[in-house]
Amino acid sequence: MALTRSEAMNTAQVLSEAMPYIQRFVGKTLVVKYGGNAMVDEKLQNSFARDIVMLKLVGLNPIVVHGGGPQIGDLLEKLNIESHFINGMRVTDSKTMDVVEMVLGGMVNKQIVGLINSNGGKAIGLTGKDGQLLTARKLRVKHKTPEMLAPEILDIGHVGEVEKVNVKVLDMLVNSDFIPVIAPIGVGEDGMSYNINADLVAGKIAEVLKAEKLILLTNIAGLLDKEGKLLTGLSTRQVDGLIEDGTIYGGMLPKIDCALSAVKNGVNSAHIIDGRVEHSCMLEIFTDEGVGTLITNRTL
């Protein structure tokens, strides 16, 4: 169906607005953490895949890191394996870790690879165990209740944090024109598998690659002030202030800590964007308005 004159003009305006951004970011690396509604809504799945393919086609180098908590929970329930959480993190015994690897490294990873490839991309799926991409160490969790004088250190099983990233694996794939799609499973020096928070994996990969951008898809519009208004652009100093005054709290803190760490360690900017919006990655990168919160070291 032919476009109306106004629709054609609007398309031309969008392309014109995108041009300087494309020129600025050609050859740059973007690390995108994919999760939330964008992973479970079919229309959003396809718009995300098309965004990633388009980013690659115009000369950027996207690297995708994905989560999969709801999918893990669903399969554990079907297998009658009870889920336990401490400080928002899943207690992961050996039986649960088997399910995590099956879901993240198998089902979810291959679905994303298939979506990108069916939209014209060249994606390759891997976990942090492939090529020793992610060396992990066991994460010890501090837990404190009001009546405790000091926090206790808890062992929550096969839950880890990133100790080292094997950049050679990513360089090989990116330089061969592939789009890496990474499941957040690491391997310890002891050969054990570890489940790692996908935000933390994306942030650490962005840091070691000195990526242009770290993009974290969420189920909210971005960072909000105390009146509920979207904060579109913030410096790291401003974000530190929002944490101190309690504007940023609770479940958002780990995601913000990850973004802050990335920007303070060499990533040019981090973006908390609304994954419920179709083509949110393209809108954030290639338009003046964007669809979320940008965090940078620069004073805004």
Side-chain angles (χ1 to χ4, degrees), residues 21-236:
Y21 293 105
I22 293 171
Q23 291 172 323
R24 187 191 311 172
F25 300 137
V26 163
K28 303 290 188 181
T29 297
L30 312 176
V31 180
V32 183
K33 188 273 178 156
Y34 177 49
N37 279 23
M39 282 188 74
V40 294
D41 180 284
E42 188 174 346
K43 186 180 283 189
L44 293 174
Q45 288 173 349
N46 280 294
S47 82
F48 173 80
R50 288 175 67 84
D51 281 6
I52 295 299
V53 173
M54 179 60 78
L55 291 171
K56 190 69 174 177
L57 284 174
V58 298
L60 286 74
N61 295 316
I63 294 172
V64 178
V65 178
H66 65 83
Q71 294 92 329
I72 292 168
D74 288 345
L75 185 53
L76 286 171
E77 188 176 343
K78 288 174 184 174
L79 296 172
N80 293 316
I81 300 173
E82 202 170 340
S83 292
H84 299 282
F85 292 87
I86 294 176
N87 294 353
M89 287 177 282
R90 189 186 303 275
V91 178
T92 308
D93 58 16
S94 295
K95 194 181 293 186
T96 302
M97 189 66 219
D98 288 342
V99 173
V100 168
E101 291 204 70
M102 187 188 312
V103 173
L104 293 183
M107 181 180 74
V108 174
N109 188 270
K110 301 316 169 193
Q111 181 190 37
I112 299 166
V113 168
L115 275 169
I116 293 172
N117 290 346
S118 66
N119 279 280
K122 291 199 308 179
I124 286 190
L126 62 164
T127 75
K129 295 174 72 174
D130 294 310
Q132 292 187 311
L133 172 61
L134 300 174
T135 303
R137 57 176 171 260
K138 182 186 282 284
L139 179 65
R140 304 287 181 177
V141 178
K142 288 184 178 180
H143 178 65
K144 190 176 186 299
T145 57
E147 61 274 10
M148 294 169 63
L149 296 175
E152 59 179 334
I153 307 298
L154 300 179
D155 182 345
I156 57 173
H158 294 258
V159 177
E161 56 186 336
V162 178
E163 188 168 45
K164 183 181 176 184
V165 178
N166 186 350
V167 176
K168 290 180 180 178
V169 175
L170 297 174
D171 284 344
M172 178 189 68
L173 292 173
V174 169
N175 292 334
S176 299
D177 220 25
F178 288 104
I179 300 168
V181 177
I182 302 164
I185 298 166
V187 61
E189 298 288 354
D190 54 5
M192 301 289 285
S193 297
Y194 289 96
N195 183 17
I196 311 174
N197 178 279
D199 290 332
L200 298 180
V201 170
K204 189 59 67 176
I205 288 174
E207 284 182 29
V208 300
L209 292 177
K210 301 296 185 230
E212 177 69 23
K213 295 178 180 293
L214 168 66
I215 299 172
L216 304 173
L217 272 73
T218 66
N219 284 340
I220 59 173
L223 273 179
L224 308 177
D225 64 16
K226 289 184 176 177
E227 285 71 49
K229 182 182 175 184
L230 178 65
L231 299 167
T232 55
L234 296 168
S235 68
T236 53

Side-chain angles (χ1 to χ4, degrees), residues 277-299:
V277 176
E278 283 189 70
H279 301 294
S280 54
C281 288
M282 295 272 285
L283 290 168
E284 179 65 14
I285 297 167
F286 294 143
T287 67
D288 296 335
E289 293 298 317
V291 287
T293 301
L294 176 149
I295 300 170
T296 179
N297 264 323
R298 298 188 304 274
T299 301

Side-chain angles (χ1 to χ4, degrees), residues 254-293:
K255 197 175 292 288
I256 296 304
D257 285 342
C258 162
L260 273 178
S261 175
V263 173
K264 290 177 179 179
N265 287 285
V267 177
N268 192 47
S269 61
H271 305 248
I272 313 293
I273 70 172
D274 193 344
R276 301 167 301 178
V277 176
E278 283 189 70
H279 301 294
S280 54
C281 288
M282 295 272 285
L283 290 168
E284 179 65 14
I285 297 167
F286 294 143
T287 67
D288 296 335
E289 293 298 317
V291 287
T293 301

